[in-house]
Amino acid sequence: MFYKDDRLALFIDGANLYAAAKALNYEIDYRLLRQEFERRGKLIRAYYYTALLDGDDYSPIRPLVDWLQYNGYALVTKPAREYVDAVGRRKIKGNMDIELCVNALELAPRMDHAVIFSGDGDFRPLVESLQRQGVRVSVVSTTRSQPPMVSDELRRQADNFIELDALRDVIGRPPREGEAET
């Protein structure tokens, strides 16, 4: 599945990965995640995609974003849009699919293996295109949540599906003092 001489690139859909890990009741340690994939091949790039809400003095994702920028991740952000849905609930929209696709297709000639951290079925055509260019594609998400966080079409299109829950002991953050394990 992974070869030591593979040129690897990680494409992390931040919101999707966060939701999948939360559904599995664990936090990801991004230092350990990077180290794990550096062991699996020659990591040429690790992208992290997220939308940020403008105007907020403090965003809960800001410390993570800052840490990622200083620790070897290529951070791709754009402003999130805030709106009120038909029922009157405040919603935030910040889709990063196009940015992820463009980066993956641009990098395709220089990588052997793409690892996409998302279960979004909209990425199936991207996976298909990368495969036509000779790039192997692994998808990291979960089928163990209710409902599953990965689309069946994406999972089937990928060369390899990596169950996020199976990575818990490798990339999971240990519970903090005072936190009960569930």
Side-chain angles (χ1 to χ4, degrees), residues 11-13 16-17 20 97 100-101 104 114-131 135-143 148-163:
F11 300 91
I12 302 169
D13 177 346
N16 195 285
L17 181 58
D97 292 5
L100 190 152
C101 290
V115 183
I116 299 172
F117 290 79
S118 181
D120 189 338
D122 290 345
F123 290 124
R124 193 200 56 74
L126 169 65
V127 172
E128 201 172 29
S129 177
L130 291 170
Q131 290 169 331
V135 176
R136 281 188 323 286
V137 181
S138 291
V139 167
V140 181
S141 189
T142 186
T143 59
M149 296 292 288
V150 64
S151 83
D152 200 45
E153 299 81 28
L154 180 65
R155 189 175 54 82
R156 290 174 190 269
Q157 184 67 50
D159 296 296
N160 183 37
F161 174 72
I162 301 171
E163 172 57 54

Side-chain angles (χ1 to χ4, degrees), residues 12-166:
I12 302 169
D13 177 346
N16 195 285
L17 181 58
Y18 173 80
K22 185 174 176 156
L24 295 171
N25 201 27
Y26 82 93
E27 284 185 51
I28 292 173
D29 183 323
Y30 287 94
R31 181 183 49 80
L32 295 176
L33 185 147
R34 186 176 167 87
Q35 288 174 354
E36 175 60 24
F37 286 91
E38 285 171 342
R39 278 193 290 274
R40 293 184 183 208
K42 295 177 181 171
L43 186 61
I44 60 172
R45 187 84 71 234
Y47 289 101
Y48 185 92
Y49 301 86
T50 190
L52 298 172
L53 196 56
D54 276 345
D56 274 0
D57 290 335
Y58 176 77
S59 167
I61 196 168
R62 180 56 67 187
L64 173 63
V65 165
D66 291 343
W67 186 91
L68 292 169
Q69 274 186 309
Y70 286 108
N71 287 279
Y73 283 83
L75 202 66
V76 182
T77 65
K78 73 177 178 188
R81 292 186 321 220
E82 190 175 357
Y83 68 96
V84 177
D85 71 7
V87 195
R89 290 180 299 218
R90 178 179 172 237
K91 295 280 188 169
I92 297 170
K93 183 174 175 68
N95 192 315
M96 299 295 295
D97 292 5
I98 296 298
E99 291 81 358
L100 190 152
C101 290
V102 168
N103 290 149
L105 291 171
E106 286 177 344
L107 205 54
R110 295 180 298 285
M111 71 175 156
D112 303 305
H113 197 148
V115 183
I116 299 172
F117 290 79
S118 181
D120 189 338
D122 290 345
F123 290 124
R124 193 200 56 74
L126 169 65
V127 172
E128 201 172 29
S129 177
L130 291 170
Q131 290 169 331
R132 282 193 304 269
Q133 296 178 63
V135 176
R136 281 188 323 286
V137 181
S138 291
V139 167
V140 181
S141 189
T142 186
T143 59
R144 295 184 184 165
S145 61
Q146 287 303 323
M149 296 292 288
V150 64
S151 83
D152 200 45
E153 299 81 28
L154 180 65
R155 189 175 54 82
R156 290 174 190 269
Q157 184 67 50
D159 296 296
N160 183 37
F161 174 72
I162 301 171
E163 172 57 54
L164 182 60
D165 198 31

